[in-house]
Each structure stands twice: as structure tokens, then as C-alpha cells.
Amino acid sequence: MKRLFIIGAALAALVSCAPKAQQVVEEISFDTAKFSTGFESAWLAPAFDDSQWAEINIKDVYEAQGYEGYDGYSVYRFTFDLPELTGSNKDIKLMLNLAKIDDMDWTFVNGKYIGGMNTGFILNSNDVLTYYDVDRHYYIDGDDPALNWGGKNVIAIRVMDNGEEGGMWDGPVSILSYPADKMPETNNHFNESAIYGDIRSIETEDGMLNNTVTITNMNVEPCKGQLVLTDLDTDSGKTEVLLTVDDASIGFAESFSTEVITRENGRHVITAALDGKVLTKVSPKYILTPAAPAEPRINGPKVYGVRPGSPVIFKIPASGDKPIRYEVEGLPEGLALDAEKGVISGSIATAGQYDVKFVATNDKGTDSKDFSFIVGDKMAITPPLGWNSWNCWGLQVSQDRVRESAQGMIDSGLIDYGWTYINIDDAWEAPERAKDGRILTNEKFPDIKALGDWLHSNGLKMGIYSSPGDLTCGKYLGSLGHEAQDAETYAEWGIDYLKYDWCGYGKEFDKIGNPVREEYMRPYVLMGKILREQNRDILYSLCQYGMDNVWEWGAEVDANCWRTTGDITDTWNSLCQIGFNQTVQYPYAGPGHWNDPDMMIVGKVGWGSLHESRLTPDEQYTHVTLWSLLTAPLLIGCDMAQMDKFTIGLLSNAEVIGVNQDVLGKQAQKVWEKGDIQIWMKDVEDGKAIGIFNIGADEVTIKLPAAELGIAKGAALRDLWRQKDLSGRNADVFTVPSHGCYLIKAR
Ligand code: GAL
């Protein structure tokens, strides 16, 4: 199995959604399994006789146990008895902890498929994203007819390996039972549905999508009958039949694939039904953000914070037909405007608030906007908007790739919505310092200063990455013992943002052996002071995964933002666990200092080997909506040279970004929860921004509980994604798709 998936090196202190494990009623544990290479579907059945099979240890992969070099399928079987129950089996749930599996595994209990990490997210013809080192956990309801209480049960796991190591490892395997209402949540259970749909959509020129819909059947019994694919336009409520196959048959572990065309504007749901029974629903990419008007429209925040004498780099973000000419009324002394690019540069010597008016004009019209330069102690008065190389390029980042993404930010028009920072993450550092101790870039970054100059000339800013330890997470040189020298070098290069990642510092910390808050703060206090001494503002971003409740002291070490969690990845589990867990941090966010739930995973990501984000379109809307409400730093994680219209639409909705950039700088709180629906709300300058999220598997229709949220009767509601005022009888009723959301403003 090719390892494309780099698990963040430091997952320490991951804030978990999971409640603490409750009382364990019963535990069955295995150190060994019955094992055979090859695969036949009969091997999944409980009745199969595996007595002739080898016994294998599940502490280590099979290749370490006499099957060296074996590639292909293999099956593990675990046989166990479940006790006769005295009470109802409804009151019990089983949790299967299946250790780690390398890889593309399917798990069956008594012949019934219960889950797998097997969809084999195909990146291109050869590459498959692997989860070889993720623990598998699955749940089964006690009353699942597949279980045999008072008798023999078999777990059978089919594994596939196509290189390197293979099989189950890091055992033991255990089966636990819990009272049904006390089952602890875990997040590593994937693809539990035995029939699942997948959709890949390619944009065609005229706002249409070419969708490849794939339906996979993991029931040992084939799916047979009349297969009908329909397309529901959720705006108009109209349903259209896309395809009918009279004698369809999808065998066990087989897929049915077809191409269908849909329109990209508005949300569509494609339903596959067999003899009238719904098999699966998938939703193609959809664009909600209305096209920007041809007339100029000045977007972005209302304020810019800068310290006296520090360079100002600010691009007036304006959408509309190009060319646009820019003017600034009341431009303070020390600043100059490039009227063609709309880039303001220079510096302001004296602290104070400088109110100006931006004017943008093209041949269709003019727009103007009041704006303030706040010259004083604070930078990042609104959260940073930008890009970071990690989620797309991982350690494969290079100067060319950074520049291509920056060019993508300009060409796609994202720059016209306030996106500014271009941040280089790990892997820019040379293996050795210069003789005088100066940090150097490696061969992938031939001229970082020139890159910075080019970014600045376009009104963009440049960020960099280091660690307070000797080494970064990617094992590149960190700043330990060279803090001042590194900060000076960064300032010379024109760096505007430093992500300072704990990693190698763990070793120093362990030496102290005294984990009091002061020790967690120590390396960050040091760099914070040094950054202040530089002749430019360097936004200070702490990355230590939330240890010691960093939000409680981040501002004290002069940080502008701090990561609250471990690394995000592009799965619903990861997004959901991180995003919906940001509940205690809200009081600590405010102008100049922000909670950072990690970078965004929309568009083409892949930590060095790109694939389309595995988040569904609904999940991607949820991601941007939640991060906007959380008033988080918004750092795009995809290759911006390759964004499609869907991704650009997600990242260029002025009203959605406006919630993030609102001048009050409040972070949303979870204010309401019922079943799978969560409502997160924050005050904004002109009302309340309200996110309605559905974290469950089924669509939910909900009437906004306005009174409970303290929203006045008759308040005007606006759908921010669609940029539409809501009116009429059902203006406050929302049908929220599974993993989807609405973002509303009430005023
Ligand atoms: C991790 C960090 C990631 C990325 C990576 C680089 O610790 O959380 O965001 O910066 O290191 O090696």
C-alpha cells in the first residue's frame, strides 16, 4: 500500500468529541486470529470452517509473520460467543475495536457488512489514499439481527495490500459492550452503509456538471431490479428522471457506474432507487454564491491594524469588471496608493485612527466604502485571511508552487474578497545553517526575498513556519537557540506571519519534567518578545495543538492566533470533531487574537499528492460556514492554481466572509441543540449571524427557534450564502441536508 497519507506528527492533546468511556459490561479480547491469504466471499460467512487456517498474531502485520512480500487479498476471522441475555438486546451496543489495518479493509459480522475504509479514494489510476495507521472502531446495535446472542459469532475482515506491509496490526482486537445510551463516541468508523454512493463531478464550460455516479454494493446478496436515478432540484422542488435500468444487478463488492449531467447552480440531489426503494443519495457540487455584479463592489474588512512605523501592505479588495481604478480619500501621510492595482503601501508614524474612503470605479459604475487604519498596538484586528501550503503540498512545497498558488489567488479573483496571506509551511529550511548561524532556505526556495517582494507588490503578504524546538515536525531545522537571529532574518526577507509549531520543543519540555503553564508558555513568550522588536508586523501564530488550554494564555504571549486542536484532515469525522468542539474557547477570541481550529480542507488538498477534498459539497459549505462563525483565521489549504468554480464560489461569498471579518470580532457559541441540529450564533455589527447545522445522516426540517435564540419577532432574515432576503410564510423554516447547513443573518 502506498503511503500517501501523512498523519500530523503531533496529535497530542487532541480535543475529542467523545464523552468519557462508561462502564464496560463485557469484554472479549483477541491477540490472534485465523488467517488466510486470498479471498472468497464464502469465507465471510459464520458457517465457514476455518479450522485448517493458520493462527496469526495481530500485534504485527502478516508480512512480519511468514508472509513476507505477499500482496493481494487476505482474510482474518475471529470467532466468539455472545452470552444469553437476560434483559433486552435493545439496551446494549457492541463496539468492535479492530486495531489498525493496512488497508482497504471490509469488516463483516456474521456475514453482514458493517463498515470499512475501503472505498479506496482513487486519486489517479494508481494512488489510493490509505488509512493504514488509523484504529478501526465500529458499533453494532444489540438488536441487530446479524448478532447471535447465546451462540457463536464471527467477525471476518478482508484486507487488501498492494505493496509494502499489509494486514492487521497494533492489536489486540477487542469487543466491548455498553449500555446503549452510554456508548462512547469514536470517530474512526467509516462507510458503515452496505450500499454507498459516490460522486465525482467535473465542471463543463456552461455551468453544467458531468457527474460520475458510482453505487457500490457490500451486501453479499446482489442488488437486483429496476434501478432509477433521479435528480431533485432543491430550489424548485422539481424531480427529473436521469436514467432507468430495467434489469440492473450489482453483485457483492461490485459497483455500478454511470455519467449524468446536472446544472451547477443550486443544490441538487441524485437519488438511486432499486424497485422504488432508495439505495443511496448523492449531491453534486453546487454553487450558492451569486456571481458578483459587473459594477465595482468593495469587499473585505472595515479596519486594518498596524503598529506605528511598520510597513502597511493593503490591497483594496474590489470585485467587478476589470480594469478598476482605485482612489483613497484622506490617505494618511506616509502611505501611497497604486491606483491601478489598488495596493496601499508605506507606513504611518503616529498612533491613531485614520479614517479614509475607498473609491473603486470601472466603466460600469463606482463603489465607495469607509475604512479605518488603526495605528497602534494591534494587528489582526480581524482574523487573517489567506493560504497555507501544508494541506496541499505538505513537505513537497516549493517556491514555484507557492507563487503559483498566489497567482491563483489573484487570477481567480479571491484577492478581491480580502484574501491576503500566502504562508509557507514546513520544508522550506536548508539542512544546515550558515557558518554565522543564519537560517537558510533549501534548494526549493532559490530566492525567498524576491518571492516576498513580488507578493507585496500585489498587495499580498508572506508567511513562514518554524518551531521553538531544534527540529520542526517535518524534521527540518527549528529555531531553538537562534530565535532572535531567525526573526531578524524573517524580517529581512519581508515575512509578515510566523507559524511557530511546538514539535521538536517537546524534547526540551520533557527535560524539565514539570508541566506547569509557565513551561508551556516559555518558548512562546520568548519568540513573542523578539517578534515585537522587528521593524515590521509579523503576525504570530501559535501551533501547539491546544495544550494547556492555550486559548487562556495565547494573548498574554502576544499571539495573534493559536491552534486549538491537532491536525485536521479532509474527512467529515475530522471536520466534525474539530469544528463542533470549539465550544469553550469563544470568550478568548477578539480583535488581535483568535482561536484557530486549523486550516481549511476544501478544494484540491493532499499533503503532497493532490486529490479533491473528500468532504461532500454540503460538508464543504458547513466547513466554511462554521469557520466563518468561529471567527477563525481562514487559511485556504488547497492548490489555488487548480480551483474549480465550486471552490472559488465557496471562498468568494462577501457576505459569508463578512461574518468572519465582522468588526466586533466575536466568536460564535453553540446556543441550541436538538438531535442532530446545532445552532451556532454570534453578534455582528448589524445583527446576529446564525448557523444551522445538521451533523446527522438524515435531512432535517426545522423552524428557527427564534424566541429561544433571543431573536425578535418579525426580525428580517437573510440567507447569506444565497444573498437573499427571506420572506413569506416559511421564511424561518429550513430543510438542512445531512452534514449541511444554512447561514442566516437576523436583524
Ligand atoms: C504539524 C502542524 C501542521 C504542519 C506540520 C508541518 O505539527 O500541526 O499544521 O505545520 O506540523 O510539519
Side-chain angles (χ1 to χ4, degrees), residues 82 134 212 253 466 561 613:
L82 283 174
V134 177
T212 306
S466 188
C561 53
S613 174

Side-chain angles (χ1 to χ4, degrees), residues 8-10 390 395 425-426 465 472-474 499 501 503 543 545 563 567 598-599:
W390 184 249
L395 300 175
D425 207 281
D426 205 357
Y465 167 98
T472 65
C473 281
K499 172 172 169 183
D501 187 359
C503 263
C543 177
Y545 340 111
R563 276 269 295 277
D567 287 16
D598 207 1
M599 302 168 294

Side-chain angles (χ1 to χ4, degrees), residues 85 88-93 140-147 149:
L85 285 178
S88 158
N89 56 12
K90 268 206 179 61
D91 302 335
I92 284 206
K93 267 189 180 225
I140 315 181
D141 291 332
D143 60 352
D144 190 313
L147 291 179
W149 292 97

Side-chain angles (χ1 to χ4, degrees), residues 677-679 690-694 702 704 734 736 740-742 744:
I677 296 289
Q678 297 190 11
I679 298 183
I690 305 158
I692 309 171
F693 299 96
N694 175 2
I702 163 182
L704 189 73
F734 302 95
V736 195
C741 69
Y742 273 84
I744 305 296

Side-chain angles (χ1 to χ4, degrees), residues 228-231 239-244:
V228 179
L229 249 57
T230 51
D231 175 32
T239 300
E240 189 191 330
V241 175
L242 296 171
L243 178 82
T244 306

Side-chain angles (χ1 to χ4, degrees), residues 296-324:
R297 191 184 60 199
I298 303 176
N299 305 304
K302 289 169 110 179
V303 288
Y304 178 93
V306 63
R307 295 177 186 140
S310 288
V312 168
I313 301 153
F314 185 80
K315 155 93 175 78
I316 302 170
S319 52
D321 285 358
K322 304 280 161 17
I324 292 179

